[in-house]
Amino acid sequence: MTSVALLGQILDYANRADPYPLYAELRRTPVVRDESGPYLVSTYWEIHSLLHDPRVSSDIRNLAPEAKTGPRTDDPDLPPSFIRLDPPDHDRLRRLIMRTYGPPHSPRRVYGLHGEISGIVSGLIDRLQGREQIDLVDDFSYPFPVTVICRLLGVPQEDEQRFHGWADTVATAIEPPVGTPEEQEAHWRSIREAHHQLADYLSGLIEQRRRAPREDMISALATDRGADESPMSLPEMLSNLTLLLIAGHETTVNLITNGMLTLLRHPDPLKQLRADPDLVIPLVEELLRFEPPVQLLPERTTLDDIEIAGTTIPQGASLWLVPASGNRDPQRFPEPDRFIPDRPDNQHFGFGTGIHNCIGSPLARLEAQAALAELVRRLDNPRLIEDPPPYRHNAVLRGPRHLPIAFDGLSRKRRASPVDKARPPNRHRSGGR
């Protein structure tokens, strides 16, 4: 099998605004080894198969030494978070988190946020009154999910300026290093330092909640005695709360921003959504397929030789899955490069699949539905000022760094949001997970 040199191009910032032609080129060979070492898998059914294959590990400690891209950036004093583990350790930690977050133990925690989320959205949009131009990221897409995840976890929102920089730095750890060896080591050092600072901050909150519990996830984790299995240790709590804090807003910022960018590029679906707010339910599913906030799943590892699509991936190899490419695979989705807001049978990879399917997907869907429906309803004649906008450097968590939008004013007329309804109309139920 010949190697290709596409991973470097995908990670190159010059291609951040539109990586999809590169993905189309990559799909010509479903499984290929990049010249930098990792095996890249880009087609829908092959990605689906590997995400359900127990021989594929999420634990980077299983990587063969020669397959590693650089020194590990995780805090050496902390264990991996649950998404970087395999069963049974992954299953135990995921169950403990779900005890505080969702069914069957806390089935109404996310549902109970419906009204609060709508109020946060309306409040942020109200602040735009009198303006004719905004940066959607700074003025809405970032503060909205940060407010929600802080309230859910129990992190004081006034501390956002403290943890924002740490979270941004830690999020860069999911990509391979670039630059000279000295620059790479400085990069890893900054990530390790951010891990330490964020862990110290969260340790203080955990201790506070143990002394005086509240109705939040930190309190629930800090006081959970485990019932039928051992509770989380303090290091496990720190690793997983770091994950929840970062993942709880980083991906939703991208989902909302990519969503508005896509709608402003497609005026007909925007008009449809303004006329029919319930369309937002399948529309968000199509956004998760068309412009997913997580583009790549790096550094999975093979626990055995795996043959797929005529290629044998050896044990211990570095495996990169490209779900954003799978979402555009014409073998799975008719007209894959066309944005179809009510696309049927939309089993996308926007939240992954298999045992690592995103536990935050119900909340992210709710946030995106509330945000996009209300932004489209209330912004009069919104339009892009710059296209393409400037993008974040992160290729894995891909989204605009800024999204300048002009508009003619705010609509004051209010009507029920679809996220306020207990049961969305069946005619707009999506096939997404």
Side-chain angles (χ1 to χ4, degrees), residues 74-93:
D74 296 331
D75 188 328
D77 297 325
L78 296 179
S81 66
F82 79 99
I83 66 169
R84 305 288 285 190
L85 294 171
D86 302 327
D89 296 327
H90 161 273
D91 299 348
R92 169 184 157 265
L93 292 172

Side-chain angles (χ1 to χ4, degrees), residues 21-289:
L22 293 173
Y23 297 157
E25 185 178 346
L26 193 58
R27 283 195 302 273
R28 293 177 184 176
T29 308
V31 182
V32 67
R33 189 176 189 183
D34 189 78
E35 66 174 13
S36 63
Y39 286 78
L40 309 179
V41 184
S42 56
T43 45
Y44 183 91
W45 292 114
E46 283 68 31
I47 293 171
H48 188 276
S49 175
L50 290 170
L51 285 173
H52 289 268
D53 194 325
R55 297 172 296 172
V56 174
S57 171
S58 295
D59 192 336
I60 57 175
R61 295 172 296 186
N62 289 320
L63 271 174
E66 63 273 14
K68 295 182 179 179
T69 58
R72 300 276 38 97
T73 59
D74 296 331
D75 188 328
D77 297 325
L78 296 179
S81 66
F82 79 99
I83 66 169
R84 305 288 285 190
L85 294 171
D86 302 327
D89 296 327
H90 161 273
D91 299 348
R92 169 184 157 265
L93 292 172
R94 184 177 176 115
R95 281 194 300 268
L96 288 170
I97 291 171
M98 291 303 293
R99 286 166 63 89
T100 70
Y101 178 72
H105 300 281
S106 305
R108 297 187 64 85
R109 190 179 292 277
V110 171
Y111 178 83
L113 291 172
H114 279 219
E116 193 168 3
I117 283 174
S118 295
I120 295 169
V121 168
S122 295
L124 287 169
I125 295 177
D126 287 342
R127 296 179 190 176
L128 308 180
Q129 187 68 48
R131 298 175 60 179
E132 298 179 347
Q133 181 176 327
I134 60 169
D135 176 359
L136 187 76
V137 176
D138 288 346
D139 293 317
F140 185 90
S141 298
Y142 179 79
F144 168 46
V146 165
T147 300
V148 174
I149 196 62
C150 283
R151 293 189 186 181
L152 185 66
L153 292 178
V155 174
Q157 193 180 353
E158 57 268 24
D159 289 348
E160 182 272 333
Q161 297 235 347
R162 293 180 61 191
F163 66 74
H164 185 179
W166 302 331
D168 283 352
T169 300
V170 171
T172 66
I174 59 180
E175 294 196 56
V178 295
T180 67
E182 293 77 17
E183 289 170 334
Q184 292 180 26
E185 179 52 40
H187 174 67
W188 297 127
R189 193 163 51 246
S190 69
I191 293 172
R192 287 191 291 266
E193 178 60 27
H195 266 290
H196 277 294
Q197 291 176 318
L198 190 51
D200 287 344
Y201 169 73
L202 291 171
S203 292
L205 291 181
I206 291 169
E207 184 56 34
Q208 289 176 18
R209 298 303 190 274
R210 280 177 171 162
R211 293 196 306 263
R214 303 178 187 177
E215 288 294 322
D216 56 49
M217 286 185 66
I218 292 179
S219 297
L221 288 172
T223 58
D224 189 354
R225 295 296 172 257
D228 53 350
E229 55 194 335
S230 59
M232 280 193 197
S233 65
L234 177 59
E236 288 173 335
M237 270 190 277
L238 293 174
S239 289
N240 288 286
L241 284 172
T242 296
L243 167 69
L244 294 172
L245 180 60
I246 295 174
H249 73 271
E250 289 277 358
T251 54
T252 310
V253 172
N254 286 347
L255 177 56
I256 294 169
T257 308
N258 287 333
M260 276 302 292
L261 176 60
T262 299
L263 286 170
L264 292 172
R265 288 171 170 170
H266 297 79
D268 287 342
L270 188 149
K271 291 177 183 176
Q272 289 177 282
L273 178 58
R274 182 174 286 127
D276 180 7
D278 291 334
L279 181 64
V280 76
I281 295 164
L283 185 145
V284 165
E285 300 305 317
E286 176 69 342
L287 286 170
L288 285 160
R289 183 199 70 84

Side-chain angles (χ1 to χ4, degrees), residues 1 29 31-33 39 306-313:
M1 179 189 60
T29 308
V31 182
V32 67
R33 189 176 189 183
Y39 286 78
I306 298 177
E307 184 177 347
I308 188 163
T311 297
T312 298
I313 305 174

Side-chain angles (χ1 to χ4, degrees), residues 57 60 63 69 72 84 297-301 318-320:
S57 171
I60 57 175
L63 271 174
T69 58
R72 300 276 38 97
R84 305 288 285 190
L297 297 176
E299 288 199 318
R300 301 291 170 108
T301 313
S318 175
L319 182 62
W320 283 58

